[in-house]
Amino acid sequence: MVATTAPTVGRSVQEPVRRSVRDRYSRREVLTAVGFLVPALVILGTFVIYPIVSGGFLSLTSWNGFGTAQQFVGLDNYARMLADHEFWNSLLVTVLYAGGVSVLSVASGLAIALLLDAPLRGLAVYRGIYFLPVVTSSVAAAIVWRYMLDSSGVLNRLLTAIGLPTVDWLNQRWTALAALTLLTVWKNLGFNAILYLTALQALPVSLTEAAQLDGATLWQRIRWMTIPLLRPMTFFVVVQALITAFQSFDLVYVLTGGGPTGGTEVLGMLMYRYAFKLGQFGYGAAIAFASLALMLGVTLVQWRATGSGESDLA
């Protein structure tokens, strides 16, 4: 009788103690988590969520940027945007620009990463050279490119030297858009190459060795093994390029100013013109939200199409 009662009494005494310790430990974890989360949530709410909510409300108003009088107009700004040929022109320019930047960013970044992954002498120097444009000021880079593409710039001098006619690069719609695309790709080339290089060096060496033993050529290994295995990184590079293209403003503003005749006026430039030059902040906010929605939609489609987030190694 005694032998059966003692353990029961012991458990009954220890159980509340264990529960109390567990509860105290849990509360401490919760307080620690809250302590870490609060500063991040305050910063996120102040600099991300509040501007988005405020911009969304602004897109439903008519405001000239002065005073506090904001007339609520509902969806009128969005209806006006759908009927505005300047918006559709900027949307076409942005889509072409973003598409070109995405494709060329993937191709150039992967090509440079494959070269940098090879056993070469002075590899650190090459990596520094390719990364140099990333740390260069966007305004300075655009000014240099503007001088290079000028009618008397170095590029036209080279064309003249080999007997070809000069090209007015920045005053023709398609050449200006191509120059803007190449400038953006060149500016971010080092960053994309480093991303691909990191992914390449994380691939299992045993796969490459097995493919070599099976007689696969270098191109076959790249085409059928390396590129599929790099699909998650390719998705990230594409999304990064799309975000860069849709947010692009400084390069466009300095290189072409949106010209000629709107030929390079991306949505960011159009939003800036309406909001800060014409004083139509409500309409400018509506254009900004349309750009955000388009970017999220393209990213979602790309995510579903590539099935990203799942490595082929898994």
Side-chain angles (χ1 to χ4, degrees), residues 2 8 26 32 35 46 73 87 120 160-161 169 223 235 240 244 257 266-267 280 293 307 312-313:
V2 173
T8 305
S26 178
T32 304
T46 304
V73 296
F87 168 75
L120 300 174
T160 304
W169 299 100
R223 171 65 182 87
F235 170 77
Q240 186 72 21
T244 300
V266 295
L267 287 173
Q280 301 177 18
D312 288 354
L313 289 175

Side-chain angles (χ1 to χ4, degrees), residues 159-180:
L159 292 177
T160 304
I162 59 177
L164 295 176
T166 60
V167 178
D168 200 0
W169 299 100
L170 300 180
N171 286 321
Q172 298 181 27
R173 180 186 179 97
W174 299 113
T175 53
L177 186 58
L180 178 63

